[in-house]
Amino acid sequence: MTADLERHFEERYGSRPTHVVRAPGRVNLIGEHIDFAGLPVLPMALQREVRIAFRPREDGLILAASRDSSFAPCHFELGASIEPYEEGDWGNYLKAAAQGMALAYGVDRGCDALVESSVPVAAGLSSSSALVIGTAVALAAANHRTIDPLELAARMADAERYVGTRGGGMDHAIIAGARAGCAARVDFDPLRLEPVPIPPDWRFLVADSLVQAHKSGGARAGYNRRRVETDRALGAVVARLGLAARDVRSYRDLLERVPGPESLAAAAFLPADLLKRFRHVVTEAARVVGAEVTLRADSPVGFGMLMNGSHASLAEDYEVSIPELDDLVRIARDAGAFGARVTGAGMGGCIVALCSAGTVDDVRQAMDDRYYAARGPKAGPFDRLFVAEPAPGASVART
Ligand code: NG1
C-alpha cells in the first residue's frame, strides 16, 4: 500500500517522497458528545488510516493532492491567518492544521503531499481529525520539530475548529496518542490518556449505515446546535443551584461538586429539550466510568449493557440517531452482540457492536443479510463492515 502511494507521489511530483505519515481513524467505544463538556471518554484507534507521503519544500507552500479523485488538488501558503476554501472543501482540514502549526510552533516550511485514506468519510470514524493530525505530524517533521503527541493533539483540537465545528478533543487525543492493543480513557483539562487493554476475546464490529453525516457541511449545524443546548442547560442548572458560574464552567466542574443523581434532580425544572440534553451528558458520564471498570474486569456483558444504554440515550435524549442506525443496532443485538450503539457524532455514519470471537461472524452475517443485501453493492463488504483492530497512534517514517 505504502509502496503504491510512494510511486504515485513520484509520478505526480517528479521525485520520491522523503517521509510517509500514518494517522489512524478511531472508533469511540463509549462516551459520546461529552468530550466538549470536559468529561472522560473511551475511544480506540483503528487499523483504517490516513497516509500522507510528503517531501519538505524550501518555501512555505503546501501542495496537496488525494488519491481519491473526488478531492481536488489544492495549494496554499502556510501562515498564521489562512483564508478558508468554501465550506465542505477537504482542503480546509489541511489549512486548519497548517494554520494551527504556524500559530503554535511558527513552522514556515511547507511540503508537497499526497494523501490516501482507508477511513470512510463522514462516517463518525474521524477521518477529518486523522487528516488534521496527519498533516500536523508531516509539518512537524518537515520543520524538524519533535512535539509531544498529547500537546499536538490539544493544539489540533483547537485548530480543527477552523472548519466551523465546535468539536471536542477526543479524536485528536486518541489519533495522536493511542497504544496498540488498547482503548484509552481520555481525560481533559489537562489532556491525559490512560491505555486500557482490550481483552483477547472481545471483537468490536463497526458497521456503516451508508448514510453520510458531513461535519464540514450539513451535520455541522446539528452538532453545534446540540452543543449550544447542552451548554445552556448547564448554565441554567448552575444558576438554579446557586453556584457561581465562574467556578462551574463545564459539566465536569458541576459533577465534581454535585453528584449525578442530585444534578439530575436539580435539572427537573428545565424545558423538555434542554432536560434531555442535560440528562444525556450526566448519564453518559456515569456509563463511561462503568465501562472502564467492565473493560478492565473482562466483563463484555456489563460493557454491552452500557453500550445499549448509551445508544438509548443518544437516540432519545441527544437525538442523534436515525432509523438506519437503530436498525443496525437491533440486528447486531438480535444476532448475539453483547451490546451496540451509534459511534461518533451520529446523524448518519456507523454503529459499533461488541461481540465475542465466537459470535462475531454470526453478527456480521446477520448485518449482511438484513441490512446490506437490500441496499445493493454501494460499498464493498470490507468497506462497510469490519472488525476494529486497536491500532497505535500517528507516526512518521522516512522512506
Ligand atoms: P466525529 O464522530 O468524528 O464527527 C465528533 C467530534 C468529537 C465528539 C464526537 C461525539 C470533532 C473533530 N469531533 O466526532 O469531538 O464530540 O463528535 O462524541 O469535532
Side-chain angles (χ1 to χ4, degrees):
M1 200 71 166
T2 305
D4 217 27
L5 178 66
E6 289 174 30
R7 188 171 51 76
H8 278 91
F9 182 99
E10 192 168 1
E11 274 168 24
R12 176 165 197 96
Y13 294 109
S15 65
R16 309 279 304 160
T18 54
H19 301 74
V20 177
V21 167
R22 48 163 292 282
R26 67 97 183 92
V27 56
N28 189 18
L29 304 182
I30 197 158
E32 219 64 82
H33 290 281
I34 62 170
D35 57 347
F36 57 72
L39 293 163
V41 293
L42 198 64
M44 176 176 113
L46 287 176
Q47 73 276 27
R48 301 295 196 92
E49 60 189 21
V50 167
R51 279 177 292 267
I52 307 176
F54 71 94
R55 187 183 52 196
R57 294 176 59 92
E58 294 305 322
D59 58 18
L61 269 183
I62 294 180
L63 262 61
S66 169
R67 289 199 56 203
D68 180 339
S69 57
S70 50
F71 300 112
C74 62
H75 61 94
F76 57 91
E77 181 86 30
L78 197 53
S81 175
I82 305 176
E83 185 71 23
Y85 294 122
E86 264 179 34
E87 185 174 313
D89 192 310
W90 79 292
N92 281 335
Y93 291 104
L94 308 177
K95 288 187 166 183
Q99 180 173 295
M101 290 298 287
L103 282 170
Y105 304 109
V107 300
D108 55 8
R109 211 169 168 208
C111 59
D112 297 335
L114 182 63
V115 178
E116 71 179 8
S117 174
S118 55
V119 190
V121 173
L125 301 180
S126 224
S127 60
S128 62
S129 302
L131 186 54
V132 169
I133 292 285
T135 305
V137 170
L139 287 173
N143 287 273
H144 308 292
R145 300 291 302 252
T146 308
I147 303 165
D148 170 71
L150 282 192
E151 188 199 319
L152 188 75
R155 300 275 193 185
M156 288 305 114
D158 287 341
E160 190 170 329
R161 301 201 177 105
Y162 177 90
V163 304
T165 312
R166 299 179 60 201
M170 156 171 67
D171 302 348
H172 313 82
I174 192 74
I175 290 167
R179 184 183 294 174
C182 297
R185 190 190 72 232
V186 182
D187 286 88
F188 301 96
D189 309 315
L191 191 60
R192 278 155 298 153
L193 219 73
E194 178 66 33
V196 189
I198 303 287
D201 192 52
W202 292 33
R203 298 287 181 279
F204 286 102
L205 188 61
V206 175
D208 190 343
S209 66
L210 307 177
V211 179
Q212 292 200 321
H214 278 289
K215 266 215 299 70
S216 58
R220 186 173 79 176
Y223 183 93
N224 287 346
R225 179 161 48 78
R226 282 171 185 72
R227 176 155 183 184
V228 169
E229 291 163 351
T230 306
D231 288 347
R232 269 180 43 214
L234 174 69
V237 172
V238 167
R240 182 79 163 205
L241 286 167
L243 299 167
R246 67 173 177 283
D247 297 333
V248 187
R249 293 169 189 273
S250 67
Y251 279 79
R252 185 179 83 174
D253 293 343
L254 174 66
L255 293 174
E256 277 169 4
R257 288 168 177 77
V258 183
E262 289 167 36
S263 289
L264 279 173
F269 76 96
L270 287 172
D273 53 341
L274 293 195
L275 176 58
K276 287 182 182 185
R277 306 297 185 250
F278 187 89
R279 190 165 52 207
H280 169 71
V281 174
V282 172
T283 58
E284 185 77 350
R287 284 185 289 270
V288 173
V289 174
E292 187 186 347
V293 172
T294 56
L295 179 55
R296 290 188 188 279
D298 193 359
S299 167
V301 172
F303 197 97
M305 276 170 55
L306 292 162
M307 291 175 85
N308 291 342
S310 173
H311 186 78
S313 181
L314 287 161
E316 287 151 31
D317 280 352
Y318 220 66
E319 298 177 287
V320 290
S321 191
I322 56 170
E324 288 86 346
L325 293 167
D326 293 340
D327 274 357
L328 281 168
V329 160
R330 209 174 306 116
I331 295 167
R333 291 180 195 157
D334 288 353
F338 293 111
R341 56 183 288 279
V342 52
T343 185
M347 299 173 273
C350 291
I351 67 137
V352 57
L354 173 58
C355 310
S356 68
T359 57
V360 69
D361 288 338
D362 292 344
V363 177
R364 190 198 288 258
Q365 190 61 51
M367 287 180 173
D368 257 331
D369 295 346
R370 293 175 53 196
Y371 190 83
Y372 295 111
R375 285 169 172 80
K378 272 193 194 166
F382 178 70
D383 259 357
R384 60 198 184 190
L385 186 59
F386 62 93
V387 175
E389 289 160 24
S395 57
V396 58
R398 286 193 157 275
T399 55

